């Protein structure tokens, strides 16, 4: 079963940027899996942020982050990135990555296997 480790979270001001990383735990490879990000804000249900297909597959994004967030992957490093620009307070959440079925309906039901522990993103002035 795949295992992930997220990093890169922090506190930024509105309009700022962060890049999150999702690395496969030692001994694991996700070269053949689509990987995506899900976030959960306090008191809210988790929602899919976006995903990237395997081996050059396309990306799909939550409407609210289109044009601001970009998911890329470096399979040689077993790492997937979430570049987040022009952040707003609504982006404040714990961000987790997982493998799953990547399409326009990406979200928690798309995920199979385990989640990473998550990384906190806080956007505040």
């Amino acid at each position: 079963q795949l295992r992930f480790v997220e990093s890169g979270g922090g506190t930024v001001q509105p309009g700022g940027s962060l890049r999150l990383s999702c690395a496969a735990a030692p001994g694991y490879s996700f070269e053949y899996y689509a990987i995506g990000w899900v976030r959960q804000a306090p008191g809210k249900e988790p929602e899919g942020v976006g995903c990237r297909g395997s081996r050059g597959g396309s990306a799909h994004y939550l409407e609210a982050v289109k044009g601001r967030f970009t998911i890329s992957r470096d399979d040689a490093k077993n790492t997937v990135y979430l570049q987040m620009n022009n952040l707003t307070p609504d982006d404040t959440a714990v961000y987790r990555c997982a493998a799953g079925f990547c399409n326009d309906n990406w979200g928690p039901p798309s995920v199979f296997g385990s989640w990473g522990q998550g990384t906190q993103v806080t956007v505040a002035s």
Side-chain angles (χ1 to χ4, degrees), residues 1 3-5 23-29 78:
Q1 191 176 42
R3 294 176 57 196
F4 306 92
V5 179
Y28 295 87
S29 171
N78 270 325

Side-chain angles (χ1 to χ4, degrees), residues 70-118:
T70 302
I71 297 173
S72 60
R73 53 191 298 161
D74 185 338
D75 288 341
K77 296 182 178 179
N78 270 325
T79 303
V80 172
Y81 303 99
L82 176 64
Q83 177 66 45
M84 306 186 295
N85 298 327
N86 195 23
L87 285 160
T88 75
D90 288 342
D91 297 315
T92 295
V94 175
Y95 286 71
R96 292 184 171 89
C97 62
F101 300 103
C102 183
N103 53 41
D104 281 342
N105 297 318
W106 167 263
S110 308
V111 171
F112 53 77
S114 62
W115 297 87
Q117 84 288 352

Side-chain angles (χ1 to χ4, degrees), residues 2 29-34 53-55 73 75 78:
L2 288 172
S29 171
F30 50 58
E31 179 182 0
Y32 299 101
Y33 295 91
S54 64
R55 312 194 80 183
R73 53 191 298 161
D75 288 341
N78 270 325

Side-chain angles (χ1 to χ4, degrees), residues 5-83:
V5 179
E6 301 94 337
S7 62
T11 300
V12 296
Q13 294 185 341
S17 298
L18 281 174
R19 188 177 79 157
L20 306 184
S21 297
C22 167
Y28 295 87
S29 171
F30 50 58
E31 179 182 0
Y32 299 101
Y33 295 91
I35 304 295
W37 293 86
V38 174
R39 68 184 181 185
Q40 186 168 18
K44 294 187 177 180
E45 293 294 316
E47 65 176 354
V49 174
C51 57
R52 168 74 68 177
S54 64
R55 312 194 80 183
S58 58
H60 300 271
Y61 298 98
L62 178 70
E63 191 66 33
V65 307
K66 284 181 180 178
R68 300 188 298 122
F69 290 13
T70 302
I71 297 173
S72 60
R73 53 191 298 161
D74 185 338
D75 288 341
K77 296 182 178 179
N78 270 325
T79 303
V80 172
Y81 303 99
L82 176 64
Q83 177 66 45

